[in-house]
Amino acid sequence: MSKVILFNFNGTLVNTKSLAIDIFNEIAERHGYKKINTEDIRYLSALSIRNRCKKLNVPFFHMPIVGILIKQGYQKYIPNLNSVDGINEVIYELKQRGFRLGFLTTNSREVTNQFLINNSINMFDYTHYSFNPFSKVKDISSFLKNNKLNHNEVIYIGDELRDIKAAKKMRLSCIGVSWGYDSMDLLTTGHADYIAQQPKDILDIVLRL
């Protein structure tokens, strides 16, 4: 049976980085955190979440609620965002070649479906919705269990170090993508099996496996 290609949603299929920064800056203004300036973005993308918190004066124990507030702020914008340039073609080709496709997301089902329809990529075989944006290991575990899949049947694709760490913990092959939240240097510290610098690299990597 064909492999399942499992995508992290925000940051991998849809570019939400700028939106996340805008929403964070609104939160920062209300709570006295340091705002993210354009010149800070590259530097912050190479830092761990804990070190980003230090740089932005966010107490680390506040991070879960900040993540949830950002997630909630996404919801009214996601349907009208565009998918990452080039990712549609990769999804179409993977589907045509018989791969099964899935994604994990903390977005609402309604918002996610509307995004997929608006971007003409409503063709995923598996979906997994969760509430907590910091529960990647649990989400992957639930995804495998709910769909009766073994770890060697799934290739996970994500844009953050925590995606890579979660995939590794669950013994999945994983591909880090460079166009999301975390820099390539940070992704490599998690020992991703592969790094995609552009969407078409995903197809090249998957077809070699």
Side-chain angles (χ1 to χ4, degrees), residues 35-60:
K35 291 184 177 181
I36 299 174
N37 298 315
T38 303
E39 58 269 23
D40 296 328
I41 294 173
R42 177 173 296 217
Y43 171 69
L44 290 171
S45 72
L47 299 180
S48 67
I49 292 177
R50 186 178 291 274
N51 286 335
R52 286 177 201 171
C53 287
K54 290 179 181 178
K55 179 70 176 177
L56 298 170
N57 299 325
V58 178
F60 189 66

PDB file of all heavy atoms in Angstrom, residues 35-60:
ATOM      1  N   LYS A  35       7.387  43.680  20.826  1.00  0.00           N
ATOM      2  CA  LYS A  35       6.847  43.387  19.499  1.00  0.00           C
ATOM      3  C   LYS A  35       7.938  42.869  18.565  1.00  0.00           C
ATOM      4  O   LYS A  35       9.127  43.129  18.778  1.00  0.00           O
ATOM      5  CB  LYS A  35       6.211  44.639  18.888  1.00  0.00           C
ATOM      6  CG  LYS A  35       4.937  45.091  19.571  1.00  0.00           C
ATOM      7  CD  LYS A  35       4.333  46.275  18.814  1.00  0.00           C
ATOM      8  CE  LYS A  35       3.019  46.707  19.424  1.00  0.00           C
ATOM      9  NZ  LYS A  35       2.408  47.833  18.675  1.00  0.00           N
ATOM     10  N   ILE A  36       7.515  42.144  17.546  1.00  0.00           N
ATOM     11  CA  ILE A  36       8.441  41.625  16.535  1.00  0.00           C
ATOM     12  C   ILE A  36       8.545  42.632  15.401  1.00  0.00           C
ATOM     13  O   ILE A  36       7.544  42.953  14.739  1.00  0.00           O
ATOM     14  CB  ILE A  36       7.963  40.267  15.992  1.00  0.00           C
ATOM     15  CG1 ILE A  36       7.885  39.237  17.120  1.00  0.00           C
ATOM     16  CG2 ILE A  36       8.909  39.780  14.878  1.00  0.00           C
ATOM     17  CD1 ILE A  36       7.275  37.910  16.691  1.00  0.00           C
ATOM     18  N   ASN A  37       9.747  43.123  15.163  1.00  0.00           N
ATOM     19  CA  ASN A  37       9.998  44.015  14.043  1.00  0.00           C
ATOM     20  C   ASN A  37      10.502  43.210  12.847  1.00  0.00           C
ATOM     21  O   ASN A  37      11.007  42.094  13.002  1.00  0.00           O
ATOM     22  CB  ASN A  37      11.049  45.075  14.422  1.00  0.00           C
ATOM     23  CG  ASN A  37      10.572  45.961  15.557  1.00  0.00           C
ATOM     24  OD1 ASN A  37       9.436  46.426  15.555  1.00  0.00           O
ATOM     25  ND2 ASN A  37      11.444  46.180  16.539  1.00  0.00           N
ATOM     26  N   THR A  38      10.371  43.792  11.666  1.00  0.00           N
ATOM     27  CA  THR A  38      10.780  43.099  10.440  1.00  0.00           C
ATOM     28  C   THR A  38      12.218  42.607  10.524  1.00  0.00           C
ATOM     29  O   THR A  38      12.532  41.477  10.120  1.00  0.00           O
ATOM     30  CB  THR A  38      10.608  44.021   9.226  1.00  0.00           C
ATOM     31  OG1 THR A  38       9.250  44.457   9.148  1.00  0.00           O
ATOM     32  CG2 THR A  38      10.984  43.307   7.940  1.00  0.00           C
ATOM     33  N   GLU A  39      13.099  43.454  11.083  1.00  0.00           N
ATOM     34  CA  GLU A  39      14.515  43.083  11.149  1.00  0.00           C
ATOM     35  C   GLU A  39      14.784  41.966  12.154  1.00  0.00           C
ATOM     36  O   GLU A  39      15.867  41.378  12.160  1.00  0.00           O
ATOM     37  CB  GLU A  39      15.379  44.302  11.480  1.00  0.00           C
ATOM     38  CG  GLU A  39      15.030  45.007  12.767  1.00  0.00           C
ATOM     39  CD  GLU A  39      14.002  46.125  12.590  1.00  0.00           C
ATOM     40  OE1 GLU A  39      13.254  46.087  11.592  1.00  0.00           O
ATOM     41  OE2 GLU A  39      13.972  47.017  13.455  1.00  0.00           O
ATOM     42  N   ASP A  40      13.812  41.659  13.005  1.00  0.00           N
ATOM     43  CA  ASP A  40      13.989  40.591  13.998  1.00  0.00           C
ATOM     44  C   ASP A  40      13.634  39.202  13.458  1.00  0.00           C
ATOM     45  O   ASP A  40      14.010  38.192  14.060  1.00  0.00           O
ATOM     46  CB  ASP A  40      13.085  40.833  15.223  1.00  0.00           C
ATOM     47  CG  ASP A  40      13.439  42.087  15.987  1.00  0.00           C
ATOM     48  OD1 ASP A  40      14.633  42.447  16.014  1.00  0.00           O
ATOM     49  OD2 ASP A  40      12.514  42.719  16.555  1.00  0.00           O
ATOM     50  N   ILE A  41      12.882  39.153  12.361  1.00  0.00           N
ATOM     51  CA  ILE A  41      12.248  37.907  11.947  1.00  0.00           C
ATOM     52  C   ILE A  41      13.271  36.810  11.662  1.00  0.00           C
ATOM     53  O   ILE A  41      13.142  35.677  12.151  1.00  0.00           O
ATOM     54  CB  ILE A  41      11.340  38.133  10.721  1.00  0.00           C
ATOM     55  CG1 ILE A  41      10.166  39.043  11.116  1.00  0.00           C
ATOM     56  CG2 ILE A  41      10.832  36.806  10.174  1.00  0.00           C
ATOM     57  CD1 ILE A  41       9.291  39.481   9.962  1.00  0.00           C
ATOM     58  N   ARG A  42      14.300  37.117  10.882  1.00  0.00           N
ATOM     59  CA  ARG A  42      15.285  36.093  10.527  1.00  0.00           C
ATOM     60  C   ARG A  42      16.011  35.580  11.774  1.00  0.00           C
ATOM     61  O   ARG A  42      16.217  34.376  11.930  1.00  0.00           O
ATOM     62  CB  ARG A  42      16.293  36.643   9.533  1.00  0.00           C
ATOM     63  CG  ARG A  42      17.383  35.658   9.166  1.00  0.00           C
ATOM     64  CD  ARG A  42      18.265  36.188   8.063  1.00  0.00           C
ATOM     65  NE  ARG A  42      17.530  36.362   6.838  1.00  0.00           N
ATOM     66  CZ  ARG A  42      18.039  36.122   5.627  1.00  0.00           C
ATOM     67  NH1 ARG A  42      19.261  35.648   5.518  1.00  0.00           N
ATOM     68  NH2 ARG A  42      17.332  36.334   4.547  1.00  0.00           N
ATOM     69  N   TYR A  43      16.385  36.503  12.665  1.00  0.00           N
ATOM     70  CA  TYR A  43      17.080  36.112  13.892  1.00  0.00           C
ATOM     71  C   TYR A  43      16.192  35.220  14.759  1.00  0.00           C
ATOM     72  O   TYR A  43      16.624  34.169  15.237  1.00  0.00           O
ATOM     73  CB  TYR A  43      17.488  37.369  14.659  1.00  0.00           C
ATOM     74  CG  TYR A  43      18.030  37.102  16.040  1.00  0.00           C
ATOM     75  CD1 TYR A  43      19.272  36.479  16.210  1.00  0.00           C
ATOM     76  CD2 TYR A  43      17.307  37.466  17.172  1.00  0.00           C
ATOM     77  CE1 TYR A  43      19.771  36.226  17.480  1.00  0.00           C
ATOM     78  CE2 TYR A  43      17.801  37.217  18.442  1.00  0.00           C
ATOM     79  CZ  TYR A  43      19.031  36.600  18.587  1.00  0.00           C
ATOM     80  OH  TYR A  43      19.518  36.336  19.840  1.00  0.00           O
ATOM     81  N   LEU A  44      14.935  35.610  14.929  1.00  0.00           N
ATOM     82  CA  LEU A  44      14.023  34.833  15.774  1.00  0.00           C
ATOM     83  C   LEU A  44      13.747  33.451  15.206  1.00  0.00           C
ATOM     84  O   LEU A  44      13.547  32.492  15.947  1.00  0.00           O
ATOM     85  CB  LEU A  44      12.709  35.595  15.962  1.00  0.00           C
ATOM     86  CG  LEU A  44      12.776  36.853  16.826  1.00  0.00           C
ATOM     87  CD1 LEU A  44      11.466  37.633  16.738  1.00  0.00           C
ATOM     88  CD2 LEU A  44      13.084  36.506  18.279  1.00  0.00           C
ATOM     89  N   SER A  45      13.730  33.340  13.879  1.00  0.00           N
ATOM     90  CA  SER A  45      13.422  32.049  13.248  1.00  0.00           C
ATOM     91  C   SER A  45      14.491  31.002  13.516  1.00  0.00           C
ATOM     92  O   SER A  45      14.255  29.812  13.344  1.00  0.00           O
ATOM     93  CB  SER A  45      13.232  32.214  11.737  1.00  0.00           C
ATOM     94  OG  SER A  45      14.475  32.462  11.095  1.00  0.00           O
ATOM     95  N   ALA A  46      15.678  31.448  13.950  1.00  0.00           N
ATOM     96  CA  ALA A  46      16.768  30.521  14.237  1.00  0.00           C
ATOM     97  C   ALA A  46      16.844  30.166  15.713  1.00  0.00           C
ATOM     98  O   ALA A  46      17.696  29.366  16.118  1.00  0.00           O
ATOM     99  CB  ALA A  46      18.098  31.124  13.792  1.00  0.00           C
ATOM    100  N   LEU A  47      15.939  30.732  16.534  1.00  0.00           N
ATOM    101  CA  LEU A  47      15.945  30.477  17.967  1.00  0.00           C
ATOM    102  C   LEU A  47      14.908  29.426  18.354  1.00  0.00           C
ATOM    103  O   LEU A  47      13.868  29.304  17.708  1.00  0.00           O
ATOM    104  CB  LEU A  47      15.638  31.768  18.738  1.00  0.00           C
ATOM    105  CG  LEU A  47      16.598  32.951  18.578  1.00  0.00           C
ATOM    106  CD1 LEU A  47      16.121  34.118  19.430  1.00  0.00           C
ATOM    107  CD2 LEU A  47      18.022  32.559  18.957  1.00  0.00           C
ATOM    108  N   SER A  48      15.171  28.716  19.428  1.00  0.00           N
ATOM    109  CA  SER A  48      14.179  27.814  19.993  1.00  0.00           C
ATOM    110  C   SER A  48      13.014  28.633  20.549  1.00  0.00           C
ATOM    111  O   SER A  48      13.130  29.844  20.763  1.00  0.00           O
ATOM    112  CB  SER A  48      14.798  26.995  21.130  1.00  0.00           C
ATOM    113  OG  SER A  48      15.124  27.848  22.226  1.00  0.00           O
ATOM    114  N   ILE A  49      11.889  27.973  20.783  1.00  0.00           N
ATOM    115  CA  ILE A  49      10.725  28.675  21.340  1.00  0.00           C
ATOM    116  C   ILE A  49      11.076  29.313  22.678  1.00  0.00           C
ATOM    117  O   ILE A  49      10.693  30.460  22.954  1.00  0.00           O
ATOM    118  CB  ILE A  49       9.534  27.717  21.481  1.00  0.00           C
ATOM    119  CG1 ILE A  49       9.021  27.313  20.089  1.00  0.00           C
ATOM    120  CG2 ILE A  49       8.407  28.361  22.289  1.00  0.00           C
ATOM    121  CD1 ILE A  49       7.893  26.302  20.111  1.00  0.00           C
ATOM    122  N   ARG A  50      11.817  28.594  23.507  1.00  0.00           N
ATOM    123  CA  ARG A  50      12.194  29.137  24.817  1.00  0.00           C
ATOM    124  C   ARG A  50      13.033  30.413  24.666  1.00  0.00           C
ATOM    125  O   ARG A  50      12.812  31.413  25.373  1.00  0.00           O
ATOM    126  CB  ARG A  50      12.967  28.094  25.625  1.00  0.00           C
ATOM    127  CG  ARG A  50      13.278  28.526  27.051  1.00  0.00           C
ATOM    128  CD  ARG A  50      13.996  27.420  27.804  1.00  0.00           C
ATOM    129  NE  ARG A  50      13.126  26.288  28.048  1.00  0.00           N
ATOM    130  CZ  ARG A  50      12.307  26.202  29.096  1.00  0.00           C
ATOM    131  NH1 ARG A  50      12.240  27.191  29.975  1.00  0.00           N
ATOM    132  NH2 ARG A  50      11.571  25.119  29.263  1.00  0.00           N
ATOM    133  N   ASN A  51      13.992  30.404  23.745  1.00  0.00           N
ATOM    134  CA  ASN A  51      14.837  31.579  23.549  1.00  0.00           C
ATOM    135  C   ASN A  51      14.091  32.728  22.878  1.00  0.00           C
ATOM    136  O   ASN A  51      14.390  33.898  23.133  1.00  0.00           O
ATOM    137  CB  ASN A  51      16.082  31.203  22.750  1.00  0.00           C
ATOM    138  CG  ASN A  51      17.073  30.412  23.582  1.00  0.00           C
ATOM    139  OD1 ASN A  51      17.097  30.524  24.808  1.00  0.00           O
ATOM    140  ND2 ASN A  51      17.890  29.595  22.929  1.00  0.00           N
ATOM    141  N   ARG A  52      13.110  32.399  22.029  1.00  0.00           N
ATOM    142  CA  ARG A  52      12.267  33.462  21.475  1.00  0.00           C
ATOM    143  C   ARG A  52      11.493  34.153  22.590  1.00  0.00           C
ATOM    144  O   ARG A  52      11.338  35.383  22.588  1.00  0.00           O
ATOM    145  CB  ARG A  52      11.280  32.878  20.458  1.00  0.00           C
ATOM    146  CG  ARG A  52      11.900  32.487  19.143  1.00  0.00           C
ATOM    147  CD  ARG A  52      10.885  31.847  18.218  1.00  0.00           C
ATOM    148  NE  ARG A  52      11.549  31.047  17.202  1.00  0.00           N
ATOM    149  CZ  ARG A  52      10.934  30.241  16.365  1.00  0.00           C
ATOM    150  NH1 ARG A  52       9.623  30.101  16.425  1.00  0.00           N
ATOM    151  NH2 ARG A  52      11.610  29.558  15.467  1.00  0.00           N
ATOM    152  N   CYS A  53      10.984  33.365  23.513  1.00  0.00           N
ATOM    153  CA  CYS A  53      10.255  33.936  24.651  1.00  0.00           C
ATOM    154  C   CYS A  53      11.133  34.904  25.418  1.00  0.00           C
ATOM    155  O   CYS A  53      10.701  36.003  25.789  1.00  0.00           O
ATOM    156  CB  CYS A  53       9.750  32.835  25.571  1.00  0.00           C
ATOM    157  SG  CYS A  53       8.353  31.898  24.913  1.00  0.00           S
ATOM    158  N   LYS A  54      12.388  34.508  25.662  1.00  0.00           N
ATOM    159  CA  LYS A  54      13.312  35.385  26.381  1.00  0.00           C
ATOM    160  C   LYS A  54      13.537  36.685  25.609  1.00  0.00           C
ATOM    161  O   LYS A  54      13.516  37.779  26.183  1.00  0.00           O
ATOM    162  CB  LYS A  54      14.649  34.678  26.593  1.00  0.00           C
ATOM    163  CG  LYS A  54      14.597  33.536  27.587  1.00  0.00           C
ATOM    164  CD  LYS A  54      15.979  32.887  27.720  1.00  0.00           C
ATOM    165  CE  LYS A  54      15.931  31.715  28.698  1.00  0.00           C
ATOM    166  NZ  LYS A  54      17.257  31.037  28.801  1.00  0.00           N
ATOM    167  N   LYS A  55      13.741  36.561  24.311  1.00  0.00           N
ATOM    168  CA  LYS A  55      14.011  37.738  23.480  1.00  0.00           C
ATOM    169  C   LYS A  55      12.815  38.692  23.456  1.00  0.00           C
ATOM    170  O   LYS A  55      12.979  39.917  23.411  1.00  0.00           O
ATOM    171  CB  LYS A  55      14.340  37.268  22.053  1.00  0.00           C
ATOM    172  CG  LYS A  55      14.615  38.387  21.062  1.00  0.00           C
ATOM    173  CD  LYS A  55      15.926  39.075  21.340  1.00  0.00           C
ATOM    174  CE  LYS A  55      16.232  40.127  20.265  1.00  0.00           C
ATOM    175  NZ  LYS A  55      17.476  40.868  20.551  1.00  0.00           N
ATOM    176  N   LEU A  56      11.609  38.145  23.511  1.00  0.00           N
ATOM    177  CA  LEU A  56      10.390  38.952  23.390  1.00  0.00           C
ATOM    178  C   LEU A  56       9.750  39.259  24.746  1.00  0.00           C
ATOM    179  O   LEU A  56       8.634  39.795  24.795  1.00  0.00           O
ATOM    180  CB  LEU A  56       9.388  38.217  22.494  1.00  0.00           C
ATOM    181  CG  LEU A  56       9.857  37.986  21.056  1.00  0.00           C
ATOM    182  CD1 LEU A  56       8.908  37.043  20.323  1.00  0.00           C
ATOM    183  CD2 LEU A  56       9.981  39.305  20.297  1.00  0.00           C
ATOM    184  N   ASN A  57      10.468  38.933  25.819  1.00  0.00           N
ATOM    185  CA  ASN A  57       9.976  39.208  27.180  1.00  0.00           C
ATOM    186  C   ASN A  57       8.644  38.513  27.478  1.00  0.00           C
ATOM    187  O   ASN A  57       7.785  39.059  28.186  1.00  0.00           O
ATOM    188  CB  ASN A  57       9.835  40.719  27.425  1.00  0.00           C
ATOM    189  CG  ASN A  57      11.163  41.455  27.290  1.00  0.00           C
ATOM    190  OD1 ASN A  57      12.213  40.921  27.642  1.00  0.00           O
ATOM    191  ND2 ASN A  57      11.114  42.676  26.775  1.00  0.00           N
ATOM    192  N   VAL A  58       8.489  37.313  26.916  1.00  0.00           N
ATOM    193  CA  VAL A  58       7.290  36.513  27.179  1.00  0.00           C
ATOM    194  C   VAL A  58       7.652  35.433  28.192  1.00  0.00           C
ATOM    195  O   VAL A  58       8.502  34.583  27.895  1.00  0.00           O
ATOM    196  CB  VAL A  58       6.761  35.841  25.891  1.00  0.00           C
ATOM    197  CG1 VAL A  58       5.538  34.983  26.204  1.00  0.00           C
ATOM    198  CG2 VAL A  58       6.427  36.891  24.835  1.00  0.00           C
ATOM    199  N   PRO A  59       7.094  35.452  29.399  1.00  0.00           N
ATOM    200  CA  PRO A  59       7.362  34.351  30.332  1.00  0.00           C
ATOM    201  C   PRO A  59       7.039  33.022  29.660  1.00  0.00           C
ATOM    202  O   PRO A  59       5.993  32.883  29.025  1.00  0.00           O
ATOM    203  CB  PRO A  59       6.409  34.643  31.498  1.00  0.00           C
ATOM    204  CG  PRO A  59       6.158  36.116  31.420  1.00  0.00           C
ATOM    205  CD  PRO A  59       6.163  36.448  29.959  1.00  0.00           C
ATOM    206  N   PHE A  60       7.941  32.048  29.797  1.00  0.00           N
ATOM    207  CA  PHE A  60       7.768  30.801  29.060  1.00  0.00           C
ATOM    208  C   PHE A  60       6.450  30.111  29.396  1.00  0.00           C
ATOM    209  O   PHE A  60       5.824  29.505  28.522  1.00  0.00           O
ATOM    210  CB  PHE A  60       8.937  29.856  29.332  1.00  0.00           C
ATOM    211  CG  PHE A  60       8.950  28.646  28.448  1.00  0.00           C
ATOM    212  CD1 PHE A  60       9.168  28.769  27.079  1.00  0.00           C
ATOM    213  CD2 PHE A  60       8.730  27.375  28.967  1.00  0.00           C
ATOM    214  CE1 PHE A  60       9.172  27.653  26.247  1.00  0.00           C
ATOM    215  CE2 PHE A  60       8.734  26.262  28.151  1.00  0.00           C
ATOM    216  CZ  PHE A  60       8.960  26.393  26.788  1.00  0.00           C
TER     217      PHE A  60
END
